[in-house]
Amino acid sequence: MKDSRGPLKRVIAHVDMNAFFASVEQKHNPHLKGKPVLVCGNPDGRSVVATASYEARAYGVKTGMSLWEAKRLCPNAVLVQCDPEKYVYTSMKLLSIYKIFTPKVEAFSVDEAFLDLTGTQRLFGSPEEIARKIKKRIKKELGLLCSIGIGSNKLLAKLASDLKKPDGLVCLSDEEVPQIFEKLSVSSLCGIGPKLSSYLNKLGIHTCGDLKRYPKEVLEKKFGKVGLYLSNMGKGIGDDEVLFYYQSEPIKSVGHSQTLNEDAYSFDVIEKLIFQLSEQVGERLRHYGYKGRTVCLTLRYSDFSTFSKQKTLKRFIWDGRDIYKEAMKIFGVLYNGFYGIRLAGVSVSNLVKESFQLSLFEKERKKEKLLKTIDRINQRYGDFTITWARLLEKSKGGNVIPPSWRPTKNLVSVN
Amino acid sequence: MKFSVAKSELLQALQSVLSVVPTRTTLQVLSNILLETDNTKGVGKLRLAATDLDTFVIKTLPVNVKKLGNITIPAKVFADIVREAPETEIEVSSTDTRVEIKFGKGVYKISGLPKDDFPKLPQVNLAKQIKINGADLTNLIRKTIFGVSTDETRPALNGVLWRTKGDRMEMVATDGHRLAKISLINKKLKGMHEDVIIPPKVLNLLTRFIGEEEYDVGIIFGENNIIFSLEDVILSSRLIEGPYPNFEQVIPKDNDKKLVADIESLTSTVRRVAILSNTLTHQVKFGLKRGAGASGGSLELSSVNFDLGGEAKETIPCEYTGEDMEIGYNANYVLDVLKQMEGEKVTFELSTSVSAGIIYSVPQKEGEEYLCLLMPLRLVE
């Protein structure tokens, strides 16, 4: 028997909503029920599938597929424009359900959350029972399905939730880990993306078993601290805490990117897109109360090759126009002047929060006031209600929630 | 061209021009220095010149001229050779594009470029020069230059403003967050008609050349450049185009709260507390508490660094009679200002926690008015 006062074994659950955007749309519009639904940024444009309903997935449609390709596979699919407000609202509802069971709920994205269930068993029963209760409530109150994975850390919980979809419930015990991990591809671990996994493959690391056996020292030399983290991941070990719902990871950068409806060759179009993205980044920086001094521009060409370049300034900025000026300087160096541009992204990092150096000159202070006033108007009447004349005809692109989405403080209180 | 000179003298002269040679340049010849011999009135002289196109430096030193001529050669390599040479006489001779450096039994040869490839040296008409006391000039520069902006979005702020106003000569620098202004009374510079904005690079060089010596410096104002002429050095720089912002307007007139503190103890305390300040903002909070009478107030300096989980707090006595107030400053800006303050005490004239404070030392140096403005950081709890 374990000493009852000893540390409790951690129990982490990962809730992953099944085909979230599509299911929400189907729930809201009964006509869509049972039909293949594709949620996308812009049905008329050249966007990609943000979520496909399970009916559509049966035809082979996958998230991230171009609409053109998806329609070829599933000609009778119903296209629905992404409606972020609806999803954020539902996401808040979900959070309030999770919070019944534990205060340690970390919204990992708009449709995923980690729950730390350590020490809640006496109140609500075994982890499986709690998971069933959560699934039941979500189904009853919101009419949605989810997959829940349970494990002794976030890594395992996330992995477990991926094992059975839709409507799954998988508990991964520590004893099973070595056997499962032996054959598991490294790319199935959360945190190992395509770039890192192809790099690991080059080192001869294909499965988590390979990763576990790879000398820790070599990984540390190659990746620094991350190397040790990777080595642990190979063993299924992870000690990342689940954050409380009111905590959030400190924001490290703020960025926006957009795919154009057609490849742009005209300087005018590209410049305008960069201006618009810069304005969006500026608005969000001000919303969070940050200024940054590193500006990064990303360009994806028509052949999908992608390039980024960044520039660090001596001053901190949050005015979209300043961001735009710096982004255009980078553009001058980065753009090969030849290929069409498919996507552009602007981001700002190296952030400081709210403790800003004030300016001696009235003109500069007035500029800040003007920005804040514009923001207040746009917050009330919608983005780009008031904007620079240059952006009156804003480029239309996806209206998709980025993976970096997290509930903001004032949203958390929605119940 | 052929001359000989003692190693130490050549090296010293070389080092003084080397800092103008750009480290990276698209114009090959700019990484060269120009060597030119002169024998006017039977006095043998070597002219060394370097430029980055904005700034020119021309240094003259007496040498034993054996043959007149000129050439440009890679500055860094030439300096390296001279630096490593033994303490002896060095002989330098050149053909059209090659230089031979001889000392003891060593012979070093490097390729150069003809003088024609080198940018044209500025015309110096010494008859037009105005004289100014060297010590006054360095005083003006040292007390303002730290405030110059390095942000290229507002070019006018990338230089020091120099002007004559009434019976005063003034220098001003600001980066939009802080400002330094010094006026020398009854030191009007005759012949200076317009305000000029001078890049800090040439002013830094100038203070180095003047050093602690007490001699006059000649100044020639050109169309869009300024020339400083010293005993054996000519410095020239382009001027920055104005207009300079109206800085008089930002100097507050009704700051009613007065803080007086000991310069030395304030400086050392800010420096200590700043160790645990945010590494990006360098924020140090000034907590002012009023005293019963003229003295007896207190100043609490504090900082927080979340990355380190660090916090620092230290209190020093001060004179303060205004209402209690908290105000945040960038510690580096405060230290820059305090470093220039002479005398024992420093005064901060303040109004609110989001408006500019005026900082000056008491008593002021005779014949001089010096003040700095410092804009606070917005404090957020």
Side-chain angles (χ1 to χ4, degrees):
Chain A
M1 263 306 264
K2 240 185 181 173
D3 180 12
S4 59
R5 284 166 303 175
L8 288 168
K9 194 170 152 36
R10 291 216 301 161
V11 181
I12 311 293
H14 178 252
V15 186
D16 191 356
M17 300 308 295
N18 300 138
F20 183 57
F21 297 171
S23 308
V24 173
E25 294 298 345
Q26 285 175 323
K27 175 72 190 154
H28 279 253
N29 181 353
H31 291 297
L32 297 176
K33 217 162 205 178
K35 289 184 186 150
V37 173
L38 304 180
V39 177
C40 55
N42 178 3
D44 310 321
R46 203 178 47 155
S47 69
V48 294
V49 177
T51 310
S53 71
Y54 276 90
E55 293 84 355
R57 289 185 198 193
Y59 291 88
V61 178
K62 286 184 180 127
T63 297
M65 211 173 242
S66 73
L67 274 187
W68 172 83
E69 208 179 345
K71 271 194 200 152
R72 198 171 51 94
L73 290 169
C74 180
N76 57 339
V78 185
L79 299 185
V80 179
Q81 175 152 14
C82 200
D83 181 1
E85 268 178 55
K86 224 184 263 170
Y87 315 140
V88 169
Y89 177 80
T90 313
S91 188
M92 289 300 141
K93 287 277 187 198
L94 287 167
L95 277 184
S96 58
I97 293 177
Y98 306 148
K99 272 152 60 184
I100 296 169
F101 297 93
T102 168
K104 272 196 155 184
V105 177
E106 179 185 341
F108 192 60
S109 72
V110 73
D111 63 344
E112 283 173 88
F114 284 107
L115 281 61
D116 190 339
L117 301 177
T118 313
T120 60
Q121 279 77 343
R122 293 244 183 133
L123 290 167
F124 303 110
S126 72
E128 289 97 316
E129 276 173 71
I130 298 175
R132 267 195 291 275
K133 281 180 188 163
I134 292 171
K135 283 169 74 84
K136 209 168 146 191
R137 283 194 81 135
I138 293 177
K139 183 140 192 222
K140 191 174 144 220
E141 290 176 25
L142 301 167
L144 299 172
L145 295 178
C146 63
S147 289
I148 299 184
I150 292 169
S152 59
N153 59 48
K154 282 162 98 170
L155 183 72
L156 295 177
K158 167 105 178 144
L159 190 67
S161 72
D162 276 340
L163 291 180
K164 189 165 180 287
K165 278 180 176 175
D167 203 15
L169 169 53
V170 178
C171 291
L172 211 55
S173 74
D174 288 353
E175 289 73 39
E176 295 171 276
V177 168
Q179 199 204 332
I180 294 175
F181 268 46
E182 188 54 45
K183 291 264 155 62
L184 191 72
S185 150
V186 281
S187 58
S188 22
L189 292 181
C190 176
I192 301 188
K195 241 186 184 163
L196 181 55
S197 98
S198 88
Y199 189 75
L200 288 173
N201 289 166
K202 275 184 202 144
L203 297 177
I205 303 172
H206 297 275
T207 68
C208 295
D210 298 336
L211 184 57
K212 179 173 82 179
R213 282 184 294 274
Y214 203 83
K216 215 193 305 198
E217 298 72 29
V218 182
L219 284 175
E220 192 184 358
K221 216 168 184 180
K222 287 198 192 297
F223 299 102
K225 259 191 206 164
V226 178
L228 296 177
Y229 194 81
L230 279 173
S231 181
N232 278 336
M233 280 171 87
K235 294 173 198 144
I237 301 173
D239 52 7
D240 284 3
E241 283 287 321
V242 173
L243 301 174
F244 284 96
Y245 60 87
Y246 46 80
Q247 286 176 323
S248 55
E249 292 247 17
I251 297 175
K252 293 199 184 85
S253 77
V254 170
H256 274 277
S257 65
Q258 187 170 312
T259 303
L260 286 159
N261 288 339
E262 52 190 74
D263 293 344
Y265 291 87
S266 131
F267 179 78
D268 206 46
V269 173
I270 302 165
E271 191 206 10
K272 203 157 141 186
L273 175 62
I274 292 174
F275 188 27
Q276 178 196 322
L277 293 168
S278 303
E279 276 293 315
Q280 285 173 293
V281 171
E283 197 276 329
R284 254 200 356 190
L285 280 170
R286 296 191 293 274
H287 177 74
Y288 293 128
Y290 284 100
K291 280 189 184 187
R293 63 168 184 175
T294 300
V295 177
C296 178
L297 178 74
T298 301
L299 296 177
R300 179 170 298 152
Y301 295 120
S302 39
D303 65 350
F304 281 84
S305 58
T306 309
F307 299 87
S308 292
K309 193 175 170 64
Q310 64 180 43
K311 182 170 184 232
T312 298
L313 315 169
K314 284 176 181 142
R315 66 207 168 109
F316 291 91
I317 54 174
W318 68 359
D319 184 339
R321 289 170 299 175
D322 292 337
I323 299 168
Y324 158 74
K325 269 182 218 150
E326 298 307 327
M328 285 314 290
K329 279 185 206 159
I330 302 172
F331 180 80
V333 184
L334 186 64
Y335 184 46
N336 67 17
F338 185 65
Y339 288 167
I341 285 183
R342 186 183 168 81
L343 168 145
V346 174
S347 71
V348 171
S349 55
N350 243 328
L351 308 177
V352 285
K353 192 169 172 74
E354 288 287 8
S355 131
F356 301 145
Q357 178 63 55
L358 299 163
S359 176
L360 275 170
F361 296 109
E362 179 70 24
K363 205 175 135 198
E364 297 290 315
R365 295 202 294 269
K366 271 191 179 153
K367 227 169 98 182
E368 302 248 309
K369 260 190 208 161
L370 175 68
L371 285 175
K372 288 202 166 155
T373 311
I374 293 177
D375 287 347
R376 280 220 298 278
I377 294 171
N378 285 337
Q379 265 155 34
R380 188 146 171 191
Y381 299 104
D383 288 347
F384 291 97
T385 300
I386 180 164
T387 186
W388 313 110
R390 181 115 178 71
L391 292 180
L392 279 178
E393 273 176 60
K394 169 167 117 63
S395 126
K396 287 198 182 62
N399 189 18
V400 190
I401 300 187
S404 58
W405 180 90
R406 296 289 183 278
T408 54
K409 259 188 194 157
N410 42 357
L411 275 172
V412 171
S413 57
V414 175
N415 262 314
Chain B
M1 179 194 71
K2 193 169 183 181
F3 64 86
S4 67
V5 61
K7 174 228 164 146
S8 57
E9 280 166 43
L10 182 58
L11 181 62
Q12 204 188 5
L14 266 174
Q15 274 165 343
S16 62
V17 301
L18 218 51
S19 68
V20 175
V21 179
T23 42
R24 262 180 298 167
T25 170
T26 43
L27 208 56
Q28 184 59 42
V29 74
L30 295 187
S31 45
N32 287 10
I33 53 166
L34 171 69
L35 306 179
E36 188 169 32
T37 48
D38 183 358
N39 214 355
T40 337
K41 294 178 194 161
V43 188
K45 277 183 191 161
L46 171 70
R47 237 191 323 270
L48 295 168
T51 180
D52 60 3
L53 291 180
D54 280 344
T55 317
F56 280 89
V57 56
I58 305 159
K59 164 98 182 165
T60 321
L61 73 156
V63 297
N64 183 7
V65 175
K66 293 171 182 163
K67 197 175 164 200
L68 289 177
N70 55 55
I71 192 167
T72 79
I73 51 170
K76 199 179 165 297
V77 179
F78 184 48
D80 285 347
I81 294 169
V82 174
R83 187 179 302 113
E84 299 305 331
E87 291 294 338
T88 167
E89 191 84 354
I90 295 181
E91 189 185 76
V92 180
S93 57
S94 74
T95 60
D96 276 354
T97 55
R98 265 181 99 64
V99 172
E100 193 177 276
I101 305 146
K102 274 199 224 165
F103 42 79
K105 287 185 174 155
V107 182
Y108 293 73
K109 291 179 187 171
I110 45 175
S111 295
L113 292 165
K115 184 190 174 184
D116 294 345
D117 292 4
F118 201 74
K120 236 176 128 207
L121 299 183
Q123 292 292 320
V124 182
N125 183 355
L126 287 178
K128 273 188 171 176
Q129 67 178 340
I130 319 163
K131 291 277 186 184
I132 176 175
N133 179 278
D136 281 346
L137 194 54
T138 47
N139 186 32
L140 286 168
I141 296 169
R142 282 201 182 121
K143 285 188 173 147
T144 49
I145 201 161
F146 66 90
V148 172
S149 164
T150 50
D151 176 4
E152 70 265 10
T153 50
R154 299 177 74 185
L157 300 188
N158 294 147
V160 174
L161 174 75
W162 191 17
R163 67 173 187 179
T164 293
K165 197 190 173 208
D167 62 342
R168 300 161 167 230
M169 178 160 63
E170 295 184 335
M171 262 198 198
V172 179
T174 178
D175 63 0
H177 305 314
R178 63 235 174 109
L179 178 146
K181 176 184 174 218
I182 177 168
S183 316
L184 298 186
I185 298 153
N186 283 323
K187 288 271 171 72
K188 181 180 168 176
L189 193 62
K190 289 185 188 85
M192 182 182 197
H193 305 297
E194 280 172 39
D195 300 359
V196 289
I197 307 171
I198 311 169
K201 184 169 181 175
V202 71
L203 296 177
N204 272 322
L205 278 170
L206 189 60
T207 52
R208 245 188 25 223
F209 281 121
I210 297 174
E212 301 304 321
E213 311 259 341
E214 287 272 343
Y215 55 76
D216 284 357
V217 176
I219 292 159
I220 305 161
F221 292 103
E223 189 97 337
N224 43 25
N225 72 334
I226 185 167
I227 293 166
F228 299 94
S229 129
L230 285 75
E231 226 168 34
D232 50 5
V233 177
I234 301 279
L235 283 167
S236 153
S237 170
R238 84 180 160 94
L239 291 172
I240 295 173
E241 219 172 296
Y244 202 78
N246 185 351
F247 64 89
E248 302 277 9
Q249 212 179 333
V250 304
I251 303 176
K253 305 207 167 43
D254 40 16
N255 281 6
D256 51 351
K257 304 185 180 76
K258 219 176 198 183
L259 161 77
V260 182
D262 182 69
I263 292 179
E264 226 180 274
S265 82
L266 182 59
T267 306
S268 58
T269 314
V270 171
R271 203 173 279 144
R272 272 194 302 277
V273 171
I275 297 171
L276 292 183
S277 67
N278 179 305
T279 41
L280 285 171
T281 63
H282 309 287
Q283 178 181 301
V284 168
K285 191 158 82 183
F286 281 47
L288 302 167
K289 287 224 159 53
R290 76 187 300 169
S295 63
S298 73
L299 170 59
E300 183 192 81
L301 296 154
S302 60
S303 65
V304 182
N305 181 319
F306 289 112
D307 296 336
L308 293 169
E311 36 188 302
K313 210 170 256 184
E314 216 172 306
T315 308
I316 57 170
C318 69
E319 294 167 31
Y320 181 66
T321 49
E323 58 200 77
D324 291 0
M325 181 162 76
E326 284 190 335
I327 187 163
Y329 286 118
N330 178 329
N332 292 342
Y333 288 180
V334 177
L335 291 171
D336 280 348
V337 168
L338 290 178
K339 206 166 147 192
Q340 300 306 328
M341 293 293 159
E342 288 163 304
E344 267 181 33
K345 303 263 184 190
V346 61
T347 302
F348 284 65
E349 278 182 13
L350 306 166
S351 167
T352 68
S353 64
V354 290
S355 57
I358 307 175
I359 306 169
Y360 53 88
S361 63
V362 260
Q364 293 257 322
K365 214 167 142 187
E366 215 187 302
E368 166 179 325
E369 257 180 46
Y370 178 48
L371 66 85
C372 292
L373 296 189
L374 195 50
M375 208 57 192
L377 288 164
R378 182 181 284 128
L379 281 175
V380 171
E381 291 309 318

